[in-house]
Amino acid sequence: MTDYTEQTLLNKIGEVRFACVELQLYLDTHPEDLEARNDFNSYANMLDRLTAEYNDTFGPLQNFGNCPHDAGSWVYQKWPWQN
């Protein structure tokens, strides 16, 4: 646990969330890129830690759950018309 101010922690969460979104978009079109997937997983874990730290220190950040893991996994699932 670090000693972030609330605004500093919110800024860091925003930066890491942005990296997750960008990597997720990239993985949608490049699902076999293992380096990008590893980067995504690292940022997703960092986002989990930062969000948990915010929740523990300042209260709930969101009023609903979110799971940033498994980006791009939908590419390997059957499409609705394939069922």
Side-chain angles (χ1 to χ4, degrees):
M1 186 151 155
T2 57
D3 292 321
Y4 288 119
T5 65
E6 184 174 9
Q7 190 59 51
T8 303
L9 187 53
L10 284 172
N11 289 345
K12 187 67 177 169
I13 289 170
E15 291 168 6
V16 173
R17 184 177 287 145
F18 176 81
C20 286
V21 168
E22 290 298 310
L23 284 164
Q24 184 174 12
L25 290 171
Y26 175 80
L27 287 167
D28 282 348
T29 57
H30 301 82
E32 289 85 23
D33 188 336
L34 295 179
E35 185 176 353
R37 183 165 301 283
N38 290 336
D39 288 344
F40 174 82
N41 289 333
S42 292
Y43 278 107
N45 289 331
M46 187 184 311
L47 182 59
D48 285 344
R49 286 193 310 273
L50 290 169
T51 301
E53 181 176 345
Y54 185 94
N55 290 339
D56 292 344
T57 307
F58 302 108
L61 184 61
Q62 301 180 44
N63 62 348
F64 56 89
N66 103 6
C67 182
H69 299 290
D70 296 329
S73 63
W74 64 271
V75 172
Y76 296 107
Q77 298 172 359
K78 286 186 174 185
W79 291 90
W81 56 85
Q82 292 175 319
N83 288 331

